[in-house]
Amino acid sequence: MTDYSAALLWVLIIASLGFSAFAVFFSLSRHRRAHPPIVARPSGEDVAAEAARKVIREFEKNAQSVDSALVTWSPETLRKILADDLPDAQVIVVSNREPYIHNTKGDGIELLVPASGLVSALEPITRACAGTWIAYGGGSADRETVDKDDRVQVPPDNPSYTLRRVWLTEEEYQGYYLGFANEGLWPLCHIAFTRPIFRQSDWEAYEAVNRKFADTVVAEARNERPIVLVQDYHFALLPRMIRERLPEAIVITFWHIPWPNSEVYSICPWRERILEGLLGSSIIGFHTQFHANNFTESVDRFLESRIERADAAISYGGQTTLVHAYPISIEWPAELLAKLPDVEDCRARLRERFSLKPDVKLGVGVERLDYTKGILDRFQALDELFKRYPEWIGKLVFLQIAAPSRGTLPAYQLLHDECHRYAEELNERYGSEGYKPVIMVAEHHSQEQVYEIYRGADICMVTSLHDGMNLVAKEFVAARDDEQGVLMLSTFAGASRELLEALIVNPYDAAMMSEALLQALTMTPDEQRERMRPMREIVRNNNVYRWAGSMLLDAARLRKRGDLDKVTGAGATPSAIDNVISIAERKRMAI
């Protein structure tokens, strides 16, 4: 037999064996399909429970429909969500700051609408939902303007919701607000190199005030199932307190500032109590996924809990809490824009107010006087610009609007003095007769006045050293319907994740900031328009109604989950959550 014949024979043998094996496999497969193995069939109850769990997992996924981007988010959208998905739900907002403040002025009463990011975000939501807003009544005439139940209908010109005021003693305010919240939690959560101060007396006041607000929430609730929107670091203990008395409530807590990593967070003496309080929430929201991850890591380190990272859920004390990122935004379109003159008129009025020449470029910064906002850093950038490019001396003025804030605290007193001293030094060094490069205005401004400043500026500098979102950036973009103006935005502000066409800067690098400032000063109108258009589209599409709507839709999913649990008997048990591994189990797996 030749070599060729032998090779051919082996090929035929191997092919034959292959066909035989395939025939056997095919026959067995048909037999299995025709005669499946006998196994214990699940009961109807088990089938229903498993179906419910699948639906529950679908509800809890931190994702929106692909069509959500096509939705026009507006007050009507929120009202439709409430009507369709949360019928008869009462919306209660809780915050430290109130949306309307009544102060005594002369022989009358003055109404003040604070220029606050939190207020500007939540006020249109509460209006749309016809809800109840519970807040600390700190105005000098607040008591004179409420009814016998401490309520007042707002806004005054078009009453749309109820403002319920809570009264605090001076000792409570000092300990809860100035003490624990702003000398303790605020610097703890912001990387601004200011040491947190924790006092036992402040903690006791913080706990007492949280309980007072919990009492008010329960008193205002019309039934056992309200939706309570708890705002910010002033009320870390409140969600658990509400949960204990209204177990069927949906509690959505939004943390408006950053959450530190677990190592930094460990500084807090009451770290476990704060986490336990927050995990009384049905949903905890943060501006960015990074901050949400930091919170989850803190829980992982300090509490015995069950964490489902795929669905962003934490199970603690028999209850599941969703931890999601919801980037906050502003109202679109801003109603007050209709009240303002056009951009050229705003520009002329601003220059007349501050005696500026028409051809001078105007940069602005607008915020509370706070050490996290990077005010001194932008002054350093301005100094660096004048050193590198002296031809801009006399051609650029920077207007800093710095609303007084927490002025009794030493850190803020020091910042106030440093900012004014630095501004004076720059004016002495680079100023001349009729020209000051820095104008420092330490006054409160209404939202209307702030928007007029945005519209009249050439550059807006948002140079936060560490921030949650910073709505000044989005407000500036919304105000510029002329599609002009340049936004300089810190990489450490949450808004930098969305407004990518801004000039993104590192506020700690004065040289880099001075170059970005030069780029802003020399940017052509066409490039300004190319950058501003997509940013305005982002703010328009991801407006405050979408922010609130996303949380309300998740609340609706949770409510449906609760209803399913009642039908199927499925509780917050380990079997209801997939892939949940406790700390102890993880340790055993690591051995």
Side-chain angles (χ1 to χ4, degrees):
M1 183 181 292
T2 64
D3 291 343
Y4 175 81
S5 299
L8 181 61
L9 178 61
W10 277 111
V11 168
L12 291 173
I13 292 171
I14 291 170
S16 176
L17 289 172
F19 281 122
S20 298
F22 176 81
V24 171
F25 176 79
F26 181 77
S27 176
L28 289 173
S29 298
R30 291 190 61 188
H31 178 77
R32 285 195 186 100
R33 285 197 295 270
H35 306 281
I38 298 174
V39 296
R41 294 180 61 82
S43 67
E45 196 171 319
D46 291 339
V47 170
E50 178 55 26
R53 283 195 289 272
K54 288 181 180 178
V55 176
I56 287 167
R57 289 194 292 272
E58 188 63 30
F59 287 152
E60 290 180 343
K61 285 182 181 177
N62 184 16
Q64 300 295 331
S65 164
V66 291
D67 297 329
S68 65
L70 304 178
V71 175
T72 300
W73 291 90
S74 66
E76 290 69 32
T77 313
L78 291 187
R79 285 191 279 267
K80 182 170 175 54
I81 289 172
L82 288 170
D84 295 349
D85 297 292
L86 294 162
D88 303 320
Q90 177 192 12
V91 176
I92 300 175
V93 174
V94 184
S95 72
N96 176 75
R97 180 167 293 185
E98 56 183 335
Y100 294 91
I101 302 170
H102 290 93
N103 287 321
T104 303
K105 186 176 183 181
D107 296 331
I109 294 176
E110 178 186 44
L111 178 68
L112 174 65
V113 180
S116 155
L118 183 147
V119 169
S120 64
L122 282 165
E123 208 274 337
I125 303 308
T126 320
R127 271 192 278 117
C129 298
T132 299
W133 189 318
I134 299 173
Y136 161 58
S140 57
D142 275 355
R143 288 181 185 269
E144 300 174 36
T145 52
V146 296
D147 63 16
K148 62 182 179 60
D149 298 311
D150 298 324
R151 301 185 184 117
V152 59
Q153 298 302 308
V154 291
D157 56 343
N158 181 27
S160 307
Y161 66 94
T162 300
L163 172 58
R164 167 67 189 274
R165 285 168 171 154
V166 177
W167 315 116
L168 302 180
T169 66
E170 182 62 26
E171 291 75 17
E172 286 175 327
Y173 181 79
Q174 290 287 334
Y176 137 81
Y177 179 75
L178 292 176
F180 191 78
N182 287 310
E183 282 192 294
L185 289 180
W186 180 267
L188 177 73
C189 292
H190 289 87
I191 303 172
F193 310 106
T194 297
R195 177 172 175 159
I197 298 172
F198 295 107
R199 307 179 187 91
Q200 178 68 32
S201 59
D202 290 345
W203 168 255
E204 291 169 358
Y206 185 85
E207 189 173 22
V209 170
N210 273 245
R211 194 162 299 284
K212 181 177 285 192
F213 272 82
D215 293 341
T216 307
V217 170
V218 173
E220 290 295 322
R222 294 194 295 263
N223 54 48
E224 299 291 320
R225 291 158 60 90
I227 296 174
V228 186
L229 306 178
V230 177
Q231 304 302 309
D232 226 353
Y233 61 102
H234 310 94
F235 298 112
L237 305 180
L238 184 58
R240 177 68 59 188
M241 293 174 177
I242 296 172
R243 175 74 51 215
E244 290 169 353
R245 299 172 64 182
L246 294 173
E248 293 189 47
I250 295 290
V251 182
I252 303 174
T253 300
F254 195 82
W255 195 264
H256 288 262
I257 63 176
W259 188 276
N261 64 51
S262 61
E263 186 67 22
V264 171
Y265 180 70
S266 69
I267 294 170
C268 182
W270 299 279
R271 59 201 182 197
E272 290 86 1
R273 291 283 306 280
I274 288 173
L275 294 174
E276 288 171 351
L278 288 169
L279 289 176
S281 310
S282 313
I283 300 170
I284 302 175
F286 296 89
H287 290 301
T288 70
Q289 190 59 50
F290 181 70
H291 298 152
N293 293 345
N294 279 350
F295 175 81
T296 301
E297 291 301 328
S298 297
V299 173
D300 195 6
R301 179 171 177 180
F302 297 112
L303 294 181
E304 186 74 21
S305 59
R306 303 175 66 87
I307 297 175
E308 169 46 55
R309 297 181 188 276
D311 288 333
I314 298 173
S315 181
Y316 178 78
Q319 179 198 339
T320 300
T321 301
L322 306 185
V323 182
H324 290 178
Y326 303 96
I328 199 171
S329 194
I330 60 172
E331 183 181 22
W332 185 285
E335 284 190 0
L336 59 82
L337 279 180
K339 305 174 184 177
L340 293 175
D342 62 30
V343 169
E344 285 305 316
D345 285 344
C346 289
R347 182 181 179 89
R349 287 165 61 167
L350 200 58
R351 278 156 174 72
E352 181 181 358
R353 176 184 171 187
F354 294 105
S355 303
L356 304 178
K357 296 178 181 178
D359 59 341
V360 166
K361 293 282 189 178
L362 179 62
V364 300
V366 181
E367 53 260 307
R368 290 182 304 103
L369 189 61
D370 192 285
Y371 52 76
T372 66
K373 301 303 182 182
I375 297 173
L376 289 171
D377 301 86
R378 69 186 64 146
F379 287 173
Q380 291 173 6
L382 190 65
D383 191 5
E384 192 73 19
L385 175 81
F386 289 150
K387 289 177 181 176
R388 291 169 173 243
Y389 307 100
E391 64 270 21
W392 280 100
I393 298 173
K395 298 179 181 179
L396 169 64
V397 171
F398 185 77
L399 170 62
Q400 178 61 58
I401 305 296
S405 175
R406 306 164 190 167
T408 60
L409 299 181
Y412 289 83
Q413 293 172 351
L414 177 62
L415 176 68
H416 176 275
D417 295 342
E418 288 181 336
C419 285
H420 280 274
R421 184 169 57 250
Y422 205 154
E424 289 173 5
E425 289 176 2
L426 291 175
N427 288 335
E428 288 176 7
R429 192 178 308 151
Y430 302 111
S432 58
E433 186 176 352
Y435 171 68
K436 287 185 177 181
V438 178
I439 301 172
M440 185 92 177
V441 182
E443 299 173 3
H444 290 284
H445 284 65
S446 69
Q447 200 71 4
E448 189 172 329
Q449 291 171 322
V450 166
Y451 267 74
E452 185 174 302
I453 291 169
Y454 293 146
R455 288 167 72 78
D458 297 294
I459 303 165
C460 181
M461 295 182 72
V462 179
T463 56
S464 309
L465 303 179
H466 198 197
D467 225 329
M469 176 56 67
N470 197 302
L471 293 180
V472 168
K474 294 187 176 184
E475 288 173 349
F476 175 72
V477 168
R480 299 312 298 255
D481 51 10
D482 63 335
E483 298 181 343
Q484 293 296 292
V486 182
L487 174 62
M488 289 179 58
L489 179 57
S490 167
T491 187
F492 304 116
S496 66
R497 273 61 168 181
E498 296 180 83
L499 305 180
L500 304 180
E501 288 76 20
L503 298 182
I504 308 298
V505 297
N506 177 359
Y508 292 93
D509 187 343
M512 180 262 202
M513 280 230 289
S514 71
E515 293 298 329
L517 190 52
L518 178 67
Q519 184 181 352
L521 290 166
T522 57
M523 189 178 294
T524 65
D526 286 343
E527 184 179 350
Q528 292 179 41
R529 188 173 295 108
E530 288 173 6
R531 290 175 177 270
M532 189 60 73
R533 278 181 179 172
M535 289 194 291
R536 286 176 58 80
E537 183 178 354
I538 285 289
V539 177
R540 179 177 66 247
N541 294 338
N542 297 341
N543 60 30
V544 73
Y545 302 110
R546 183 172 186 171
W547 171 75
S550 299
M551 290 189 288
L552 291 176
L553 286 172
D554 281 345
R557 294 184 182 103
L558 287 178
R559 180 135 290 172
K560 290 174 185 176
R561 169 188 176 162
D563 294 341
L564 281 168
D565 284 349
K566 290 178 182 178
V567 172
T568 64
T573 60
S575 61
I577 304 172
D578 293 338
N579 303 321
V580 178
I581 304 174
S582 70
I583 294 174
E585 289 169 336
R586 275 198 298 274
K587 288 180 178 177
R588 283 197 297 272
M589 292 170 63
I591 296 175

